[in-house]
Amino acid sequence: MDIKAYGKINLTLDVLYRRPDGYHQLRGVMCAVDVYDAVHMERSEGVSVIFDEEVPPQNTAIMAARAFFEKTGRGADIYIQKGIPSKAGMGGASADAAGVLRGMNRLYGGPLSESELYSIGLSIGADVPFCLMGGCAVAEGIGEVLTPLPAPELNLLIIKGNEGVSTGALFKELRLPIERRPDTDGAIAAIMRGDITGLIPLCENALEIPAIGLSPEIAQNKKRLQALGAHAFMTGSGAAVVGIFKTAEQAAEAQKSFRDLPFARVCSTGGFVI
């Protein structure tokens, strides 16, 4: 079984308040993008997960595989080739967990329901349910309350430098209320009426300025994209920056200016689903 575990971007991301449980109440629009980790798996009596790069021993993929095994008694030998950069705000770890859950379920003919997969996914990470669903959605709560939206087709260049941002460190330093906040309702309305031109300037991330405090490189990369004609914004908790261009050709031409960075990928949104 081979699975493309797609990453995501946040077209908008707002932080509303700190909840009594210590988490932050979020609201925004998520879209899957065609940047993915390739997940290969074969049936096995136990569970093993190997990556093509170094990852923490207790990673989300092994957590997902063990949870599936505990629930069903069915295992897999899994190999994951990383394509989504780490500490980028693109949901790479969540995509791995979602890819493992979706793949193992298909490998064995669907023993678990969608609600069971989502429940396991949420126990691993807040973005895993969206990565299981894919496409585009309004994400609320800690990111797990999802309302599907039509997926807008956007031409993107996503870049990331050498620095990453720790989500935990960012939220630990976060001070509310945040002054600059996105118009998520406006973005949703633009998506619903198919107004890409109206949507693009509304793509904004409330965590961007706090994240720049931890990684000034984010601001530099944003300015570089803007100088090439893109509407640019950070995704997730960073440190990847998304540039939206009018055409895929313009995005590809702009990509040539970022050969100095470890990650610069032309991609798109458009309803990608595991």
Short mmCIF file of all heavy atoms in Angstrom, two decimals, residues 37-93:
data_model
loop_
_atom_site.label_atom_id
_atom_site.label_comp_id
_atom_site.label_asym_id
_atom_site.label_seq_id
_atom_site.Cartn_x
_atom_site.Cartn_y
_atom_site.Cartn_z
N ASP A 37 4.46 13.52 2.16
CA ASP A 37 5.35 12.44 2.56
C ASP A 37 4.83 11.15 1.92
O ASP A 37 3.62 10.90 1.93
CB ASP A 37 5.38 12.28 4.09
CG ASP A 37 6.05 13.46 4.78
OD1 ASP A 37 6.67 14.28 4.09
OD2 ASP A 37 5.95 13.53 6.02
N ALA A 38 5.73 10.38 1.36
CA ALA A 38 5.35 9.12 0.71
C ALA A 38 5.42 8.00 1.74
O ALA A 38 6.47 7.74 2.33
CB ALA A 38 6.28 8.82 -0.46
N VAL A 39 4.29 7.34 1.96
CA VAL A 39 4.18 6.29 2.99
C VAL A 39 3.96 4.95 2.30
O VAL A 39 2.96 4.75 1.59
CB VAL A 39 3.01 6.58 3.95
CG1 VAL A 39 2.96 5.53 5.05
CG2 VAL A 39 3.14 7.98 4.55
N HIS A 40 4.90 4.04 2.49
CA HIS A 40 4.77 2.68 1.94
C HIS A 40 4.60 1.71 3.10
O HIS A 40 5.30 1.81 4.11
CB HIS A 40 6.01 2.30 1.13
CG HIS A 40 5.99 0.88 0.66
ND1 HIS A 40 5.23 0.45 -0.42
CD2 HIS A 40 6.61 -0.24 1.14
CE1 HIS A 40 5.40 -0.85 -0.58
NE2 HIS A 40 6.23 -1.29 0.35
N MET A 41 3.65 0.79 2.98
CA MET A 41 3.43 -0.16 4.06
C MET A 41 3.07 -1.55 3.54
O MET A 41 2.48 -1.70 2.46
CB MET A 41 2.34 0.35 5.01
CG MET A 41 1.01 0.66 4.38
SD MET A 41 -0.09 1.54 5.53
CE MET A 41 0.74 3.11 5.65
N GLU A 42 3.46 -2.53 4.31
CA GLU A 42 3.16 -3.93 4.01
C GLU A 42 2.63 -4.60 5.28
O GLU A 42 3.02 -4.23 6.39
CB GLU A 42 4.40 -4.66 3.52
CG GLU A 42 4.98 -4.07 2.23
CD GLU A 42 6.24 -4.79 1.78
OE1 GLU A 42 6.64 -5.77 2.45
OE2 GLU A 42 6.83 -4.36 0.77
N ARG A 43 1.75 -5.56 5.09
CA ARG A 43 1.19 -6.28 6.24
C ARG A 43 2.29 -6.94 7.05
O ARG A 43 3.28 -7.44 6.52
CB ARG A 43 0.19 -7.33 5.78
CG ARG A 43 -1.09 -6.75 5.18
CD ARG A 43 -2.09 -7.84 4.91
NE ARG A 43 -3.32 -7.32 4.30
CZ ARG A 43 -4.42 -8.03 4.15
NH1 ARG A 43 -4.46 -9.30 4.56
NH2 ARG A 43 -5.50 -7.48 3.60
N SER A 44 2.10 -6.95 8.37
CA SER A 44 3.07 -7.55 9.27
C SER A 44 2.36 -8.00 10.54
O SER A 44 1.27 -7.51 10.86
CB SER A 44 4.17 -6.54 9.61
OG SER A 44 5.04 -7.04 10.60
N GLU A 45 2.98 -8.91 11.26
CA GLU A 45 2.41 -9.35 12.53
C GLU A 45 2.63 -8.32 13.63
O GLU A 45 1.93 -8.34 14.64
CB GLU A 45 3.01 -10.70 12.95
CG GLU A 45 2.62 -11.85 12.02
CD GLU A 45 3.17 -13.17 12.51
OE1 GLU A 45 3.90 -13.18 13.54
OE2 GLU A 45 2.90 -14.20 11.86
N GLY A 46 3.59 -7.43 13.43
CA GLY A 46 3.86 -6.38 14.41
C GLY A 46 3.85 -5.02 13.75
O GLY A 46 3.23 -4.82 12.71
N VAL A 47 4.58 -4.10 14.36
CA VAL A 47 4.61 -2.72 13.86
C VAL A 47 6.05 -2.24 13.81
O VAL A 47 6.79 -2.38 14.79
CB VAL A 47 3.79 -1.78 14.78
CG1 VAL A 47 4.09 -0.33 14.48
CG2 VAL A 47 2.30 -2.05 14.62
N SER A 48 6.44 -1.68 12.67
CA SER A 48 7.74 -1.01 12.57
C SER A 48 7.59 0.19 11.63
O SER A 48 6.83 0.14 10.66
CB SER A 48 8.82 -1.95 12.05
OG SER A 48 8.62 -2.27 10.68
N VAL A 49 8.30 1.26 11.95
CA VAL A 49 8.27 2.47 11.12
C VAL A 49 9.70 2.95 10.91
O VAL A 49 10.44 3.16 11.88
CB VAL A 49 7.44 3.59 11.77
CG1 VAL A 49 7.47 4.84 10.88
CG2 VAL A 49 6.01 3.14 12.01
N ILE A 50 10.08 3.11 9.65
CA ILE A 50 11.40 3.61 9.29
C ILE A 50 11.23 4.86 8.43
O ILE A 50 10.40 4.89 7.53
CB ILE A 50 12.22 2.55 8.52
CG1 ILE A 50 12.43 1.31 9.40
CG2 ILE A 50 13.55 3.12 8.04
CD1 ILE A 50 13.09 0.15 8.67
N PHE A 51 12.02 5.89 8.72
CA PHE A 51 12.03 7.13 7.93
C PHE A 51 13.32 7.22 7.12
O PHE A 51 14.33 6.58 7.46
CB PHE A 51 11.95 8.34 8.85
CG PHE A 51 10.59 8.59 9.45
CD1 PHE A 51 10.18 7.90 10.58
CD2 PHE A 51 9.73 9.53 8.89
CE1 PHE A 51 8.94 8.14 11.15
CE2 PHE A 51 8.49 9.77 9.45
CZ PHE A 51 8.09 9.08 10.58
N ASP A 52 13.29 8.05 6.09
CA ASP A 52 14.51 8.27 5.31
C ASP A 52 15.37 9.39 5.89
O ASP A 52 16.39 9.75 5.31
CB ASP A 52 14.17 8.57 3.84
CG ASP A 52 13.49 9.93 3.66
OD1 ASP A 52 12.92 10.45 4.64
OD2 ASP A 52 13.53 10.46 2.53
N GLU A 53 14.94 9.95 7.02
CA GLU A 53 15.74 10.95 7.73
C GLU A 53 15.51 10.77 9.22
O GLU A 53 14.61 10.05 9.65
CB GLU A 53 15.39 12.37 7.29
CG GLU A 53 13.95 12.77 7.57
CD GLU A 53 13.65 14.18 7.09
OE1 GLU A 53 13.95 14.50 5.92
OE2 GLU A 53 13.11 14.96 7.90
N GLU A 54 16.35 11.42 10.01
CA GLU A 54 16.26 11.26 11.46
C GLU A 54 15.02 11.95 12.01
O GLU A 54 14.75 13.11 11.71
CB GLU A 54 17.51 11.85 12.12
CG GLU A 54 17.59 11.56 13.61
CD GLU A 54 18.91 12.02 14.22
OE1 GLU A 54 19.83 12.35 13.44
OE2 GLU A 54 19.00 12.05 15.45
N VAL A 55 14.25 11.21 12.82
CA VAL A 55 13.07 11.76 13.49
C VAL A 55 13.09 11.27 14.94
O VAL A 55 13.79 10.30 15.26
CB VAL A 55 11.76 11.30 12.80
CG1 VAL A 55 11.68 11.80 11.37
CG2 VAL A 55 11.61 9.79 12.86
N PRO A 56 12.32 11.89 15.83
CA PRO A 56 12.27 11.42 17.22
C PRO A 56 11.76 9.98 17.30
O PRO A 56 10.89 9.59 16.51
CB PRO A 56 11.29 12.39 17.88
CG PRO A 56 11.31 13.61 17.02
CD PRO A 56 11.53 13.12 15.63
N PRO A 57 12.27 9.19 18.22
CA PRO A 57 11.82 7.79 18.34
C PRO A 57 10.31 7.68 18.58
O PRO A 57 9.65 6.81 18.02
CB PRO A 57 12.61 7.25 19.55
CG PRO A 57 13.80 8.15 19.66
CD PRO A 57 13.35 9.50 19.18
N GLN A 58 9.76 8.57 19.40
CA GLN A 58 8.32 8.56 19.66
C GLN A 58 7.63 9.56 18.73
O GLN A 58 7.13 10.60 19.15
CB GLN A 58 8.05 8.88 21.14
CG GLN A 58 8.52 7.81 22.10
CD GLN A 58 7.91 6.45 21.80
OE1 GLN A 58 6.71 6.34 21.56
NE2 GLN A 58 8.73 5.42 21.82
N ASN A 59 7.61 9.24 17.46
CA ASN A 59 7.02 10.14 16.47
C ASN A 59 5.56 9.79 16.23
O ASN A 59 5.06 8.75 16.65
CB ASN A 59 7.82 10.08 15.16
CG ASN A 59 7.89 8.67 14.61
OD1 ASN A 59 6.95 8.16 14.05
ND2 ASN A 59 9.05 8.03 14.80
N THR A 60 4.87 10.67 15.54
CA THR A 60 3.43 10.50 15.33
C THR A 60 3.10 9.27 14.49
O THR A 60 2.05 8.66 14.69
CB THR A 60 2.84 11.74 14.66
OG1 THR A 60 3.58 12.01 13.45
CG2 THR A 60 2.92 12.94 15.57
N ALA A 61 3.97 8.93 13.56
CA ALA A 61 3.70 7.77 12.70
C ALA A 61 3.70 6.47 13.50
O ALA A 61 2.80 5.63 13.34
CB ALA A 61 4.72 7.70 11.56
N ILE A 62 4.68 6.30 14.38
CA ILE A 62 4.73 5.08 15.19
C ILE A 62 3.58 5.08 16.20
O ILE A 62 2.99 4.03 16.49
CB ILE A 62 6.10 4.91 15.90
CG1 ILE A 62 6.23 3.50 16.49
CG2 ILE A 62 6.31 5.95 16.96
CD1 ILE A 62 6.31 2.41 15.48
N MET A 63 3.22 6.26 16.71
CA MET A 63 2.06 6.34 17.61
C MET A 63 0.79 5.89 16.89
O MET A 63 -0.03 5.15 17.46
CB MET A 63 1.91 7.76 18.13
CG MET A 63 3.01 8.21 19.07
SD MET A 63 3.00 10.00 19.37
CE MET A 63 1.41 10.19 20.18
N ALA A 64 0.62 6.34 15.65
CA ALA A 64 -0.57 5.97 14.88
C ALA A 64 -0.59 4.48 14.57
O ALA A 64 -1.63 3.82 14.70
CB ALA A 64 -0.62 6.77 13.58
N ALA A 65 0.55 3.94 14.18
CA ALA A 65 0.62 2.52 13.85
C ALA A 65 0.33 1.65 15.08
O ALA A 65 -0.39 0.64 14.99
CB ALA A 65 2.00 2.18 13.27
N ARG A 66 0.89 2.03 16.21
CA ARG A 66 0.64 1.27 17.44
C ARG A 66 -0.82 1.37 17.87
O ARG A 66 -1.41 0.38 18.33
CB ARG A 66 1.57 1.77 18.55
CG ARG A 66 3.02 1.35 18.36
CD ARG A 66 3.93 2.02 19.37
NE ARG A 66 5.31 1.57 19.24
CZ ARG A 66 6.34 2.18 19.79
NH1 ARG A 66 6.16 3.28 20.53
NH2 ARG A 66 7.57 1.71 19.62
N ALA A 67 -1.42 2.57 17.71
CA ALA A 67 -2.82 2.73 18.08
C ALA A 67 -3.71 1.88 17.19
O ALA A 67 -4.67 1.26 17.68
CB ALA A 67 -3.21 4.21 17.98
N PHE A 68 -3.42 1.84 15.90
CA PHE A 68 -4.19 0.99 14.99
C PHE A 68 -4.04 -0.48 15.36
O PHE A 68 -5.01 -1.25 15.37
CB PHE A 68 -3.74 1.22 13.55
CG PHE A 68 -4.60 0.53 12.52
CD1 PHE A 68 -5.70 1.18 11.96
CD2 PHE A 68 -4.34 -0.77 12.12
CE1 PHE A 68 -6.50 0.55 11.01
CE2 PHE A 68 -5.13 -1.41 11.18
CZ PHE A 68 -6.22 -0.75 10.64
N PHE A 69 -2.81 -0.89 15.68
CA PHE A 69 -2.54 -2.28 16.06
C PHE A 69 -3.30 -2.65 17.34
O PHE A 69 -3.90 -3.73 17.44
CB PHE A 69 -1.04 -2.48 16.25
CG PHE A 69 -0.65 -3.86 16.66
CD1 PHE A 69 -0.61 -4.89 15.72
CD2 PHE A 69 -0.33 -4.15 17.98
CE1 PHE A 69 -0.25 -6.18 16.10
CE2 PHE A 69 0.02 -5.42 18.36
CZ PHE A 69 0.07 -6.45 17.42
N GLU A 70 -3.28 -1.74 18.33
CA GLU A 70 -3.98 -2.01 19.59
C GLU A 70 -5.48 -2.13 19.37
O GLU A 70 -6.16 -2.91 20.04
CB GLU A 70 -3.67 -0.90 20.60
CG GLU A 70 -2.23 -0.93 21.10
CD GLU A 70 -1.89 0.28 21.94
OE1 GLU A 70 -2.81 1.10 22.20
OE2 GLU A 70 -0.71 0.41 22.34
N LYS A 71 -6.01 -1.36 18.42
CA LYS A 71 -7.44 -1.36 18.17
C LYS A 71 -7.89 -2.58 17.36
O LYS A 71 -9.00 -3.11 17.56
CB LYS A 71 -7.81 -0.09 17.40
CG LYS A 71 -9.29 0.21 17.32
CD LYS A 71 -9.80 0.90 18.56
CE LYS A 71 -11.23 1.38 18.38
NZ LYS A 71 -11.76 1.98 19.62
N THR A 72 -7.02 -3.04 16.44
CA THR A 72 -7.44 -4.08 15.48
C THR A 72 -6.64 -5.37 15.56
O THR A 72 -7.06 -6.39 15.02
CB THR A 72 -7.33 -3.55 14.04
OG1 THR A 72 -5.94 -3.32 13.74
CG2 THR A 72 -8.12 -2.26 13.86
N GLY A 73 -5.46 -5.32 16.19
CA GLY A 73 -4.59 -6.49 16.20
C GLY A 73 -3.85 -6.70 14.90
O GLY A 73 -3.24 -7.76 14.69
N ARG A 74 -3.86 -5.68 14.02
CA ARG A 74 -3.22 -5.80 12.70
C ARG A 74 -2.08 -4.81 12.59
O ARG A 74 -2.23 -3.64 12.92
CB ARG A 74 -4.26 -5.55 11.60
CG ARG A 74 -5.33 -6.65 11.59
CD ARG A 74 -6.57 -6.22 10.87
NE ARG A 74 -7.57 -7.29 10.86
CZ ARG A 74 -8.80 -7.16 10.41
NH1 ARG A 74 -9.20 -6.00 9.93
NH2 ARG A 74 -9.63 -8.18 10.44
N GLY A 75 -0.95 -5.32 12.10
CA GLY A 75 0.26 -4.51 12.07
C GLY A 75 0.75 -4.24 10.66
O GLY A 75 0.17 -4.69 9.67
N ALA A 76 1.87 -3.53 10.59
CA ALA A 76 2.46 -3.21 9.29
C ALA A 76 3.91 -2.80 9.46
O ALA A 76 4.31 -2.26 10.50
CB ALA A 76 1.68 -2.08 8.62
N ASP A 77 4.69 -3.09 8.43
CA ASP A 77 6.04 -2.55 8.30
C ASP A 77 5.92 -1.32 7.40
O ASP A 77 5.42 -1.41 6.27
CB ASP A 77 6.99 -3.57 7.68
CG ASP A 77 7.22 -4.76 8.60
OD1 ASP A 77 7.24 -4.56 9.83
OD2 ASP A 77 7.39 -5.88 8.09
N ILE A 78 6.37 -0.17 7.90
CA ILE A 78 6.10 1.11 7.25
C ILE A 78 7.41 1.84 6.97
O ILE A 78 8.29 1.90 7.83
CB ILE A 78 5.20 1.98 8.16
CG1 ILE A 78 3.87 1.26 8.42
CG2 ILE A 78 4.94 3.34 7.53
CD1 ILE A 78 3.07 1.85 9.58
N TYR A 79 7.51 2.40 5.75
CA TYR A 79 8.65 3.22 5.37
C TYR A 79 8.12 4.57 4.90
O TYR A 79 7.22 4.63 4.06
CB TYR A 79 9.46 2.56 4.26
CG TYR A 79 10.58 3.44 3.74
CD1 TYR A 79 11.71 3.66 4.50
CD2 TYR A 79 10.47 4.06 2.50
CE1 TYR A 79 12.73 4.48 4.04
CE2 TYR A 79 11.49 4.87 2.02
CZ TYR A 79 12.63 5.07 2.79
OH TYR A 79 13.63 5.88 2.33
N ILE A 80 8.67 5.63 5.46
CA ILE A 80 8.20 6.98 5.12
C ILE A 80 9.34 7.81 4.54
O ILE A 80 10.40 7.97 5.17
CB ILE A 80 7.61 7.68 6.35
CG1 ILE A 80 6.40 6.90 6.89
CG2 ILE A 80 7.20 9.12 6.02
CD1 ILE A 80 5.78 7.46 8.15
N GLN A 81 9.09 8.33 3.35
CA GLN A 81 10.03 9.22 2.68
C GLN A 81 9.51 10.65 2.84
O GLN A 81 8.43 10.99 2.35
CB GLN A 81 10.16 8.86 1.20
CG GLN A 81 11.25 9.61 0.48
CD GLN A 81 11.46 9.10 -0.93
OE1 GLN A 81 10.72 8.24 -1.41
NE2 GLN A 81 12.47 9.61 -1.60
N LYS A 82 10.28 11.50 3.54
CA LYS A 82 9.82 12.83 3.88
C LYS A 82 9.91 13.77 2.68
O LYS A 82 10.93 13.85 2.01
CB LYS A 82 10.64 13.41 5.03
CG LYS A 82 10.44 12.69 6.37
CD LYS A 82 9.04 12.91 6.93
CE LYS A 82 8.82 14.34 7.34
NZ LYS A 82 7.43 14.54 7.89
N GLY A 83 8.81 14.50 2.46
CA GLY A 83 8.79 15.56 1.46
C GLY A 83 8.34 16.87 2.06
O GLY A 83 8.60 17.93 1.51
N ILE A 84 7.66 16.80 3.22
CA ILE A 84 7.19 17.98 3.93
C ILE A 84 8.27 18.41 4.92
O ILE A 84 8.71 17.59 5.74
CB ILE A 84 5.88 17.69 4.70
CG1 ILE A 84 4.82 17.11 3.76
CG2 ILE A 84 5.37 18.94 5.38
CD1 ILE A 84 3.61 16.54 4.48
N PRO A 85 8.74 19.64 4.85
CA PRO A 85 9.79 20.07 5.78
C PRO A 85 9.29 20.09 7.22
O PRO A 85 8.10 20.29 7.49
CB PRO A 85 10.15 21.47 5.30
CG PRO A 85 8.93 21.96 4.58
CD PRO A 85 8.32 20.74 3.96
N SER A 86 10.21 19.87 8.15
CA SER A 86 9.86 19.87 9.58
C SER A 86 9.87 21.30 10.12
O SER A 86 10.52 22.19 9.57
CB SER A 86 10.83 19.00 10.37
OG SER A 86 12.15 19.52 10.27
N LYS A 87 9.14 21.50 11.22
CA LYS A 87 9.03 22.81 11.88
C LYS A 87 8.73 23.90 10.86
O LYS A 87 9.32 24.98 10.89
CB LYS A 87 10.30 23.12 12.67
CG LYS A 87 10.49 22.21 13.87
CD LYS A 87 11.66 22.64 14.71
CE LYS A 87 11.80 21.77 15.95
NZ LYS A 87 12.93 22.18 16.81
N ALA A 88 7.75 23.60 9.98
CA ALA A 88 7.41 24.52 8.90
C ALA A 88 6.00 25.08 9.04
O ALA A 88 5.65 26.03 8.35
CB ALA A 88 7.55 23.81 7.56
N GLY A 89 5.17 24.46 9.89
CA GLY A 89 3.77 24.86 9.96
C GLY A 89 2.93 24.24 8.87
O GLY A 89 1.84 24.71 8.57
N MET A 90 3.46 23.16 8.27
CA MET A 90 2.76 22.49 7.17
C MET A 90 2.17 21.13 7.55
O MET A 90 1.71 20.39 6.70
CB MET A 90 3.70 22.33 5.98
CG MET A 90 4.14 23.65 5.35
SD MET A 90 5.22 23.42 3.93
CE MET A 90 4.10 22.59 2.78
N GLY A 91 2.20 20.83 8.84
CA GLY A 91 1.54 19.61 9.32
C GLY A 91 2.22 18.32 8.93
O GLY A 91 1.55 17.29 8.78
N GLY A 92 3.54 18.32 8.80
CA GLY A 92 4.24 17.11 8.37
C GLY A 92 4.03 15.92 9.29
O GLY A 92 3.73 14.81 8.84
N ALA A 93 4.17 16.14 10.59
CA ALA A 93 3.99 15.05 11.55
C ALA A 93 2.55 14.56 11.56
O ALA A 93 2.28 13.35 11.62
CB ALA A 93 4.42 15.48 12.94
#
